[in-house]
Amino acid sequence: MPRFVQVFQDTCPTLTFSSGWQGGSSETDASLDRYSQGTYTFTKQADETMTMAFNGTYVGIYGAKRPDHGLYQVELDGKLFPTFDAYSDTPLFNQTLFNATSLDYGLHTIKLINSGSTTLDVDYVAFQGITGKSEEALIPATWQDNEFTFSYFPPSSWRQSARPGTLSASTGTITNDPKATAEFKFKGNFLLASTDEAPQVLTVVDS
């Protein structure tokens, strides 16, 4: 079956953070641009957690190892792994904090736990999924928000983003209307819908 790797940035709502986490800021961290897409989420409180559920055969959590970072644990499907250490006397970025390979394909839940009052941060999480049938090839296709495959209702509630340079192909359609909807018609096994606040959100649909 075709396999694909999906990346969730720390800002993606698929990642559930407990209350003691906050976003990194360039005002307090000159190394913010060393993180993927210039964002990360961190905590300095013990027992704070980040949780994610996914369907796949591989999962990896990525973040930094820095002088003020420390011990943490990971729980996968109820199994608690031995303590890991994110301390490094030299700042290191895009580091693998944890990964698990060769998982049985299906629904899994992973939890990251800060073990003490030292810093722990999350840059992004990646997992490998499976879609389609064994004889099929994975054929990706991309449609931008301004193509005919999208419909916006009501049209008067939608407008072009004022920050096009931060978006794919420098285009994005936005709304502040809680009742507004967007419709995208496609034929396939899965859909990746990307926004500036929740990049690369995965929605699995029936074949």
Side-chain angles (χ1 to χ4, degrees):
M1 292 183 179
R3 298 173 183 267
F4 62 93
V5 175
Q6 180 60 38
V7 176
F8 292 108
Q9 296 294 330
D10 63 292
T11 53
C12 179
T14 303
L15 309 184
T16 302
F17 292 92
S18 56
S19 61
W21 296 75
Q22 58 184 301
S25 169
S26 59
E27 295 180 357
T28 57
D29 189 354
S31 297
L32 184 66
D33 61 353
R34 300 289 301 277
Y35 289 85
S36 173
Q37 296 194 8
T39 69
Y40 69 90
T41 300
F42 74 97
T43 184
K44 294 185 178 182
Q45 300 179 35
D47 301 322
E48 294 296 323
T49 63
M50 183 281 296
T51 306
M52 186 189 82
F54 66 98
N55 277 288
T57 58
Y58 163 88
V59 65
I61 301 175
Y62 300 86
K65 295 184 177 182
R66 304 175 69 172
D68 62 339
H69 288 39
L71 303 178
Y72 63 94
Q73 289 185 289
V74 174
E75 181 180 296
L76 178 60
D77 296 335
K79 176 184 177 181
L80 188 64
F81 287 79
T83 301
F84 300 91
D85 195 350
Y87 170 81
S88 173
D89 56 358
T90 301
L92 301 172
F93 301 90
N94 195 32
Q95 298 296 295
T96 302
L97 301 182
F98 176 84
N99 64 23
T101 61
S102 302
L103 299 173
D104 291 335
Y105 180 70
L107 182 63
H108 301 279
T109 300
I110 190 167
K111 180 185 291 185
L112 178 69
I113 309 162
N114 196 23
S115 297
S117 57
T118 50
T119 301
L120 175 65
D121 70 49
V122 174
D123 192 355
Y124 60 93
V125 178
F127 76 93
Q128 183 180 69
I130 299 175
T131 186
K133 301 176 182 179
S134 58
E135 68 275 11
E136 292 179 331
L138 182 63
I139 305 175
T142 301
W143 288 270
Q144 296 297 333
D145 62 290
N146 55 3
E147 297 189 50
F148 71 94
T149 47
F150 286 90
S151 299
Y152 301 96
F153 307 98
S156 59
S157 292
W158 295 84
R159 65 186 186 279
Q160 284 295 299
S161 171
R163 301 186 301 160
T166 65
L167 303 173
S168 172
S170 295
T171 177
T173 303
I174 64 174
T175 183
N176 294 323
D177 183 353
K179 295 183 179 180
T181 61
E183 182 180 277
F184 174 72
K185 295 181 179 180
F186 74 103
K187 183 178 181 180
N189 297 101
F190 68 94
L191 171 67
L192 302 179
S194 181
T195 76
D196 60 346
E197 293 186 356
Q200 299 176 309
V201 177
L202 173 65
T203 302
V204 179
V205 299
D206 293 335
S207 302

